Amino acid sequence: MTKITRRTVVTALAALGGAALAPRLAFAATWPERPVTIVVPFPAGGSNDVLARLFAQSFSQSFGKPFVVENRAGANGNIGANAVARAAPDGYTLLLSGNGQNAMNHALYSQMTYDSRKDFVHIGQMGSVPNALLVSADFPAQTFKDFIALVKSKPDQIACASPGSGSSGHLAMAMLQHTAGIKLQHVPYRGAAPAITDVIGGQVNAVMINVDIALPHVRSGKLKVLAVTSPARNPLYPDAPTVAESGFPGFSAIGWMGLSAPARTPAEIVMQINKAMNATLGEAPIRERYAAGGYIPGGGTPDAYAGFIAAEIDKWARVVKETGASIE
């Protein structure tokens, strides 16, 4: 009879572990063998969608297989994000993750069907885009400081639009109100385009929106940028001050985008995508497109992006608690 020792058991378990790992490694080595879907949990045309399509095109060339963008909008990004969280962890379904669906919503919604810290493996940050506070060309306040003074003199009488409740524009506005001690009327829209249209038409006084979306209307002279919400000035509007430099040090409220996958997606696949993402950020056409849109390049490791998201969840939980912001 063969004597069973502790060493025999350990060796046998190691062999079994290696056998189980072998198919996984082989699978990762052959990925992708078919099209990969990048789910954008918002309608087409926004900043999230723009970056997703830029990277999908680059990845399609890098990997030799199609990367297809699928817009699955609803519930401030929750519907698309939940679909990816429940998808097979095989590298064929990715999420365009961002500040709404992967950070702010955890504080804004009492019931969440996924946890951004547990149900995803975060691949890397593509970039970020600040918001801008804009008014029509004939609005009486022509500077940010004048705007703050005017709102203080007319509390709850100046209407400010956002692309929707729970959007980065909405939360940036709530943060500004709390920080500056002002009271605005929040007017949520279903998207950026109708909000801008009503500001230009005079139905709403101001709008807080991503810097790239407003650019054509600023160039045409129909809108004026009063301030941007990033720590540093944005190259699209070099003359527009930051909120931070205008008397509110440390103010920062930016939208950000990256890639995530369902939890338990093989690390080898995650690293392949991360490597391709960082390489794409170094391509000249991408750098030029970023500069033209006012995007701030991202990059870095999966661990860095996961840590960033965890910090953002905590940050916006504090903001929501302090401001009382809610999904209206």
Side-chain angles (χ1 to χ4, degrees):
M1 180 180 293
T2 302
K3 183 179 180 180
I4 299 176
T5 65
R6 183 176 182 275
R7 181 175 181 178
T8 303
V9 173
V10 171
T11 302
L13 289 174
L16 286 171
L21 184 61
R24 180 186 175 101
L25 291 174
F27 170 76
T30 58
W31 177 92
E33 295 181 304
R34 54 186 171 85
V36 177
T37 298
I38 300 177
V39 175
V40 176
F42 296 102
S47 301
N48 294 270
D49 188 63
V50 169
L51 288 194
R53 294 180 189 277
L54 283 175
F55 280 80
Q57 181 179 9
S58 177
F59 288 174
S60 296
Q61 295 172 352
S62 299
F63 290 105
K65 296 292 181 182
F67 279 68
V68 182
V69 172
E70 178 184 335
N71 297 92
R72 298 189 64 173
N76 199 37
N78 279 355
I79 290 177
N82 182 67
V84 176
R86 302 291 174 256
D90 55 11
Y92 288 99
T93 306
L94 308 177
L95 174 69
L96 196 291
S97 46
N99 49 280
Q101 63 273 25
N102 289 97
M104 296 171 175
N105 285 2
H106 287 284
L108 290 169
Y109 286 83
S110 58
Q111 297 290 329
M112 288 286 285
T113 55
Y114 61 90
D115 187 332
S116 293
R117 290 160 292 200
K118 298 178 181 179
D119 295 329
F120 298 98
V121 55
H122 298 297
I123 299 169
Q125 186 178 6
M126 294 172 167
S128 59
V129 57
N131 285 284
L133 177 66
L134 302 106
V135 295
S136 63
D138 58 356
F139 188 74
Q142 292 298 299
T143 68
F144 177 69
K145 290 185 178 180
D146 289 344
F147 179 84
I148 296 298
L150 177 63
V151 177
K152 284 186 175 180
S153 70
K154 297 181 177 182
D156 211 22
Q157 296 182 45
I158 305 298
C160 189
S162 79
S165 294
S167 65
S168 63
H170 173 204
L171 271 293
M173 186 195 314
M175 189 174 174
L176 175 62
Q177 291 184 86
H178 178 74
T179 304
I182 58 175
K183 182 63 176 175
L184 293 159
Q185 287 184 19
H186 175 219
V187 184
Y189 282 77
R190 290 188 175 182
I196 288 176
T197 298
D198 278 5
V199 174
I200 293 173
Q203 286 82 12
V204 185
N205 304 116
V207 63
M208 185 75 84
I209 206 161
N210 287 353
V211 293
D212 57 321
I213 304 299
L215 183 59
H217 306 285
V218 174
R219 286 178 172 168
S220 70
K222 295 178 180 178
L223 291 177
K224 180 179 178 63
V225 184
L226 298 184
V228 294
T229 62
S230 48
R233 293 195 180 198
N234 191 271
L236 287 186
Y237 312 116
D239 296 330
T242 66
V243 174
E245 73 181 80
S246 302
F248 307 101
F251 188 97
S252 177
I254 60 174
W256 45 267
M257 308 85 165
L259 284 174
S260 301
R264 298 179 300 281
T265 296
E268 296 81 7
I269 293 177
V270 170
M271 291 311 300
Q272 286 186 65
I273 302 172
N274 176 267
K275 183 178 179 180
M277 185 200 74
N278 284 310
T280 298
L281 286 167
E283 296 173 359
I286 297 296
R287 293 199 303 269
E288 292 169 4
R289 183 65 182 83
Y290 267 55
Y295 302 117
I296 302 166
T301 66
D303 284 346
Y305 188 40
F308 171 79
I309 289 176
E312 284 285 286
I313 291 173
D314 291 342
K315 170 184 175 176
W316 291 109
R318 291 192 300 270
V319 171
V320 168
K321 183 178 180 179
E322 291 171 353
T323 64
S326 64
I327 298 292
E328 300 161 358

